[in-house]
Amino acid sequence: MDTVQTVVSGFSLDLGPLKEPLGFIRVLEWVFAIFAFATTGGYSGTSNLTVKCPGSEDAITVSAVFGYPFRLSAYPYKMPSCDGSPSNQTYLQGNFSSSAEFFVCVGVFGFLYCTATLILYLGYQNVYRQTTRGPIIDLVLTAAFAFLWLVSSSAWGKGLTDVKWATNPEHLVENCTFCHPGEFPSMGRLNASVIFGFLNVILWAGNCWFIYKETSFHKDPNPPTTVEEGGAPGP
């Protein structure tokens, strides 16, 4: 209880850091992290194809629905049969969940880290800048997130390319004699997620410089004593 009271009493809201690159870039990282995992995690698309049996005037539309986390083999769709037999249950092929879930995981943890550091910057700025350990830890974690964004965005970019190929209606009708490709699934949202991922790489990597300027590696921990400060001039 005493610890909680100490933490609360030490909180002092100061929006000044938002006017500096250190706080302003962190807000941008917070926003872009949300965009990155939200555009991926909530996605749902549909691939369409048509089946026109010989002697039939009407074409049957078949819709294959899929979405995050892109375990495509878990999404069945029914293909009508032209010989009068029951419809065949067919599945999309491929499992691209690892790259998608890794990307979303990095986005969520990046968002949480941005939230924690913004609270530190705005509420405990005096504690952050008076200690040498805080900026160093912040620098290491920010650099680690920049690396994770690079790896996860690259992996998800490759995974998205594979998802597009696996759900392409022209690919789905390759082994179907009476099938014709229909409407392509809308991938604009997923394309945006990859863009947001690489924008996060730029933001987090660039922010390392501004955090580095707050560390003791950049600042002189023992500045020379001047005459005005009471030091004696040299011989």
Side-chain angles (χ1 to χ4, degrees):
M1 187 66 179
D2 293 338
T3 303
V4 175
Q5 291 178 350
T6 302
V7 172
V8 173
S9 62
F11 181 83
S12 178
L13 182 62
D14 179 13
L15 300 181
L18 296 180
K19 302 177 182 179
E20 303 175 5
L22 183 67
F24 178 71
I25 295 178
R26 188 64 85 194
V27 172
L28 291 180
E29 292 170 349
W30 185 79
V31 173
F32 278 76
I34 294 176
F35 286 159
F37 71 76
T39 50
T40 306
Y43 177 82
S44 179
T46 305
S47 292
N48 295 294
L49 53 99
T50 58
V51 179
K52 189 172 183 180
C53 297
S56 175
E57 297 181 356
D58 298 328
I60 303 174
T61 301
V62 178
S63 298
V65 181
F66 63 96
Y68 178 83
F70 305 104
R71 294 187 182 92
L72 301 184
S73 56
Y75 296 94
Y77 61 98
K78 292 187 177 181
M79 290 291 295
S81 175
C82 292
D83 57 5
S85 59
S87 299
N88 297 320
Q89 184 164 277
T90 309
Y91 292 85
L92 294 173
Q93 300 299 313
N95 183 354
F96 312 102
S97 60
S98 58
S99 59
E101 290 177 335
F102 178 40
F103 181 78
V104 170
C105 181
V106 171
V108 171
F109 279 102
F111 162 77
L112 293 176
Y113 182 70
C114 286
T115 302
T117 50
L118 282 174
I119 294 174
L120 180 63
Y121 293 166
L122 303 181
Y124 301 94
Q125 183 65 205
N126 58 332
V127 178
Y128 177 80
R129 296 197 170 182
Q130 287 177 0
T131 60
T132 58
R133 184 180 300 177
I136 294 176
I137 295 175
D138 192 15
L139 175 61
V140 172
L141 291 178
T142 300
F145 269 108
F147 176 75
L148 289 175
W149 275 116
L150 177 61
V151 174
S152 63
S153 299
S154 301
W156 172 227
K158 176 59 170 62
L160 177 56
T161 300
D162 295 336
V163 169
K164 289 180 179 179
W165 180 84
T167 58
N168 189 328
E170 294 182 354
H171 167 67
L172 297 178
V173 301
E174 287 179 352
N175 299 321
C176 181
T177 306
F178 308 112
C179 298
H180 303 278
E183 184 179 355
F184 284 71
S186 176
M187 295 286 186
R189 181 173 174 176
L190 297 182
N191 292 333
S193 71
V194 176
I195 295 174
F196 284 127
F198 283 105
L199 286 175
N200 273 292
V201 175
I202 298 173
L203 286 173
W204 288 78
N207 200 23
C208 289
W209 165 247
F210 297 103
I211 299 176
Y212 170 75
K213 292 172 66 176
E214 300 293 329
T215 65
S216 57
F217 302 122
H218 181 266
K219 296 179 178 180
D220 188 357
N222 297 309
T225 305
T226 62
V227 177
E228 291 78 4
E229 293 174 344

